[in-house]
Amino acid sequence: MSRSSSIHSGDGVLRRPSQYVSMDRLNDRLAVMSGYGATPKGGVNRQALTAEDLQAQLQLIRWGAELGMQPSSDSAGNLFLRCEGSDPSLAPVLSGSHLDSQPTGGKFDGVYGVLAALEAVNAMQDAGLNPRRSIEVVSWMNEEGSRFAPGMMGSTAYADPNSLSEMLLVKDAKGVSVREALSLIQDGLREIPCRSLGGHPHAYIEAHIEQGPLLEQQNAVVGVVSGIQGKRTFRVEIIGEATHAGTSPRSKRKDAILAAVRIIDALANRLHDGGDIVKFTVGRLIVEPNAPSVVANRVVFSIDLRHPKSAELTLLGDLILPFCEINARPCSVSLTELSNATSLEFPDAIRDRIRSIASTLKIAHIDLLSAAGHDARYLHKVCPSGMIFVPSRDGITHNEAEYTSAEDLTDGARVLADVLGELST
Ligand SMILES: [Zn+2]
């Protein structure tokens, strides 16, 4: 029995799963999936825990059955298809993404990662490979967060099972709770065995469309995702004094607008780097009383700060308060942090593996950072994780016009197949 992800055929030629990835099969399955929740404009409306989502899950289970894969689902509505390895006691390799979409979503966001993983398993079987570790294709519940906010519920609950109880209470616009919607899905999947929530996989790899323009601009087909950018958001409130623009002496004024200008200018200079890595944005400014001849007595503005390295994001975000205090005088200022999502970097070992496989396959690739969140953000907490991006035409996504060519989708699946082959060996 071969214990390698690549084997030598009779003529001594190295055989890898990527050689058995089928463009037709992958694209036929994508076309079938885009029929579940198809919109008149060629997109998809397959929101989480709807009848369309259930249909897509049942279709995935049927395809898995053809490959001898065992389905199971957990209490968070995540669906798994297991291809048993020669040593079932080993931690499995997970790969997938999500089947749900935005209300006017495209045919590729999420579903591509699930079907690319299925294609990788199919290719490994066609190659006659028998990996040691089991491979599990996964579809995470409610990644998009359009029907039930926030998104990435299934992967969050998988990484932290204690978070599920609160999620179940979330309601959609019609007042239906996640718990109620989930029970309808579970009823439709009653033949499928339940598994306990959570786990400690050997690794997790997610293929996804880029949802940005960088691959296309740089003529690359595969993106080796370095990490997911973190973000801190703040509200700054400055309190001054409303006085007459003609009679009040300048030296005695507490001008909230001038204080805001000083603070924003100081921060924009400090939170700037030569490489354009730090992203600092003041996108909203509210002035009171907002009258041409009155010195402003109150200004509120927003800060959106992003950096790919968590330590830097923390350091830079923590500079904001002292800068506000120094520059607000003689006004008073208060700073409120609204959110703090840390940046993450995927492990070098996973990134190196993806990069070297793309090189071996002669597929043009670049390293890039994901500016958007993905399920891999949460899997990163429980196992070594990584992501493979393929191009999005014109960077368009969450849109019915979302498009990636069949060739690019296939190249991404070929890289994924060999990565999963190596990780499961
Ligand atoms: Zn997605």
Side-chain angles (χ1 to χ4, degrees):
M1 182 186 299
S2 166
R3 290 207 157 190
S4 163
S5 68
S6 54
I7 55 174
H8 291 271
S9 58
D11 52 9
V13 176
L14 190 67
R15 198 184 289 166
R16 297 174 69 91
S18 54
Q19 294 174 279
Y20 292 81
V21 165
S22 161
M23 176 155 57
D24 288 346
R25 190 167 54 200
L26 175 60
N27 284 281
D28 286 351
R29 284 180 181 148
L30 276 163
V32 170
M33 277 299 192
S34 57
Y36 300 119
T39 60
K41 288 184 183 166
V44 169
N45 177 8
R46 192 171 54 236
Q47 295 182 70
L49 307 180
T50 57
E52 293 79 20
D53 186 13
L54 174 61
Q55 286 178 321
Q57 293 190 44
L58 289 168
Q59 177 64 67
L60 183 68
I61 292 166
R62 286 195 292 275
W63 282 326
E66 291 169 11
L67 301 176
M69 298 173 82
Q70 288 300 317
S72 60
S73 65
D74 63 23
S75 53
N78 299 314
L79 176 65
F80 301 82
L81 299 178
R82 181 178 171 97
C83 173
E84 192 99 308
S86 62
D87 186 348
S89 68
L90 294 175
V93 176
L94 256 64
S95 183
S97 191
H98 57 97
L99 291 176
D100 69 317
S101 80
Q102 292 286 329
T104 52
K107 295 173 177 169
F108 305 99
D109 180 357
V111 60
Y112 168 63
V114 177
L115 295 183
L118 185 72
E119 179 58 35
V121 170
N122 212 150
M124 260 180 257
Q125 293 191 357
D126 288 355
L129 300 175
N130 185 16
R132 223 156 44 97
R133 290 183 187 277
S134 301
I135 298 175
E136 293 184 346
V137 174
V138 56
S139 168
W140 303 109
M141 186 270 283
N142 185 30
E143 192 276 346
E144 296 288 1
S146 58
R147 181 182 177 195
F148 299 106
M152 293 177 260
M153 280 186 176
S155 50
T156 301
Y158 182 88
D160 175 16
N162 291 327
S163 63
L164 179 63
S165 53
E166 207 170 305
M167 272 173 212
L168 294 176
L169 306 176
V170 172
K171 290 182 175 174
D172 69 7
K174 291 178 181 157
V176 178
S177 69
V178 170
R179 184 192 301 278
E180 290 162 330
L182 197 52
S183 77
L184 286 176
I185 295 281
Q186 285 162 339
D187 194 44
L189 297 176
R190 58 188 172 278
E191 312 287 318
I192 306 301
C194 286
R195 59 190 272 153
S196 57
L197 180 58
H200 295 281
H202 178 62
Y204 173 71
I205 308 292
E206 180 168 353
H208 205 282
I209 57 168
E210 183 199 344
Q211 303 183 283
L214 295 178
L215 289 173
E216 196 175 54
Q217 284 169 5
Q218 300 194 35
N219 289 318
V221 175
V222 156
V224 182
V225 182
S226 53
I228 298 178
Q229 175 166 253
K231 176 170 90 165
R232 293 178 79 176
T233 60
F234 303 85
R235 182 178 59 231
V236 181
E237 181 176 23
I238 300 162
I239 302 295
E241 200 170 74
T243 49
H244 192 290
T247 61
S248 68
R250 298 275 299 271
S251 61
K252 301 284 186 223
R253 290 182 185 185
K254 294 182 179 174
D255 189 326
I257 286 187
L258 289 184
V261 167
R262 286 192 300 272
I263 293 170
I264 293 169
D265 188 51
L267 286 172
N269 284 318
R270 177 61 185 83
L271 301 175
H272 186 268
D273 64 299
D276 198 11
I277 295 168
V278 186
K279 303 292 185 201
F280 168 78
T281 306
V282 174
R284 187 162 194 246
L285 193 83
I286 299 163
V287 175
E288 291 177 6
N290 207 20
S293 299
V294 181
V295 174
N297 68 319
R298 181 173 179 263
V299 169
V300 177
F301 65 89
S302 61
I303 294 176
D304 178 312
L305 178 69
R306 305 183 192 217
H307 195 286
K309 292 199 160 68
S310 276
E312 278 294 299
L313 184 63
T314 300
L315 188 88
L316 297 175
D318 291 352
L319 289 176
I320 293 175
L321 182 59
F323 269 74
C324 287
E325 287 174 337
I326 291 165
N327 290 289
R329 291 173 196 147
C331 299
S332 62
V333 64
S334 63
L335 177 74
T336 308
E337 180 154 17
L338 303 175
S339 67
N340 184 355
T342 56
S343 305
L344 67 88
E345 282 173 80
F346 293 124
D348 283 335
I350 298 277
R351 290 153 63 185
D352 291 348
R353 196 183 287 276
I354 296 170
R355 202 181 296 113
S356 90
I357 285 171
S359 297
T360 302
L361 295 176
K362 298 187 167 48
I363 293 171
H365 57 89
I366 56 169
D367 284 18
L368 50 71
L369 179 73
S370 176
H374 292 287
D375 291 308
R377 168 184 276 287
Y378 295 94
L379 271 292
H380 175 72
K381 296 180 178 187
V382 294
C383 68
S385 299
M387 294 192 75
I388 297 167
F389 277 176
V390 292
S392 295
R393 186 172 66 190
D394 300 329
I396 293 172
T397 185
H398 285 185
N399 186 305
E400 290 160 294
E402 190 177 272
Y403 178 78
T404 305
S405 74
E407 290 77 11
D408 290 352
L409 294 167
T410 307
D411 278 346
R414 290 170 64 219
V415 174
L416 179 68
D418 283 358
V419 171
L420 296 183
E422 288 189 5
L423 289 170
S424 60
T425 296

